[in-house]
Amino acid sequence: MVNILYEDNQIVVIVKPQNMPSAPDESGDEDALTFVKNYIKEKYNKPGEAYIGLVHRLDRPTGGVMVFARTSKAAARLSSQLQDGTMKKTYYAICNDCPKDKSGRLVNYLKKDSKENIVKIVSQGETNAKRAELEYKVLVRGETSLLEVNILTGRSHQIRVQLAGIGCPLVGDNKYGKDKTRASKKLGLWAGRLEFVHPVTKEKMVFVAPPELSSEPWKDFYIEKYFLR
C-alpha cells in the first residue's frame, strides 16, 4: 500500500512499497508514478491525464521515500537539486558480514550489462563506465549488519553493487547476493530519509519513513530509533 506523506500544488511525497516499480515497466504491475497520477486525477477531479514528473527512481525491490513533481517547473528544479547534490537521500541497508571500518567512502566505476541486466564494477577507463560514490556508517555490526548509506551519485543498483564489491552483499539480493538461491523475498535496502528544498517556497523539506518494522529482514534490528533523531 502506498502511503502519501505530503502534497501541495507543486509536489507529492510518498512511501513506495518494496517490489513496486517506480514507473511503468514490462511487467505491467502497478507502479508508483501511475499511482500518483491516478491519485491526483481522482482527488482533484482533473480531466485527462494528470501531469506528474518522475524526479528520481528507486529500484523495484527497494522501498522508501520518493518525491514527485506536479508541475514542469517543480520537476526541473528538483532534478537540478538531484544533479548538484543538494537533494540528499539516506538509505538503510542490511548486509551480510560487515565492512571493516566503522564508516567510510566507496568509489567505483560501474557499467551496466544490458544482456545480463546487472551492473558491474569496472576499471575507470572502460567505455561507458560511470563513477559511483557513497558514504556508509555501521549502525549494528554482526553476521548481518545494519548500515546507514548516503549516495553521492545516483547510479543504477549502486548500493547493492558497491557493498557486494567489498564482500558485504545485501540480505535478500537475488542479483548480487552470496547465495542467490536462498534470497529472501524482500531486499535489505530502504530509502528512509529524503531532504530537498521546496521548488517554489524554498523551504527545507525533510521526510522520514521507516520500513515495516515487524517484517523480514527489518524485525531483527531496532531500526525505528534511527528515525527519531
Side-chain angles (χ1 to χ4, degrees), residues 166-187:
I166 60 170
C168 301
L170 298 188
V171 167
D173 196 333
N174 61 8
K175 282 185 180 290
Y176 308 102
K178 287 184 175 180
D179 189 348
K180 298 179 177 59
T181 63
R182 294 185 180 181
S184 66
K185 291 184 179 179
K186 287 192 175 180
L187 179 69

Side-chain angles (χ1 to χ4, degrees), residues 95-133:
C95 61
N96 291 289
D97 299 323
C98 189
K100 293 180 180 179
D101 298 325
K102 188 173 181 180
S103 62
R105 178 175 292 198
L106 302 180
V107 179
N108 299 103
Y109 287 83
L110 306 183
K111 182 176 181 179
K112 187 168 186 177
D113 185 329
S114 299
K115 290 183 179 179
E116 296 185 32
N117 193 28
I118 61 172
V119 175
K120 298 178 179 179
I121 294 176
V122 298
S123 61
Q124 178 177 353
E126 189 159 332
T127 304
N128 296 325
K130 295 183 178 180
R131 180 185 171 90
E133 189 171 354

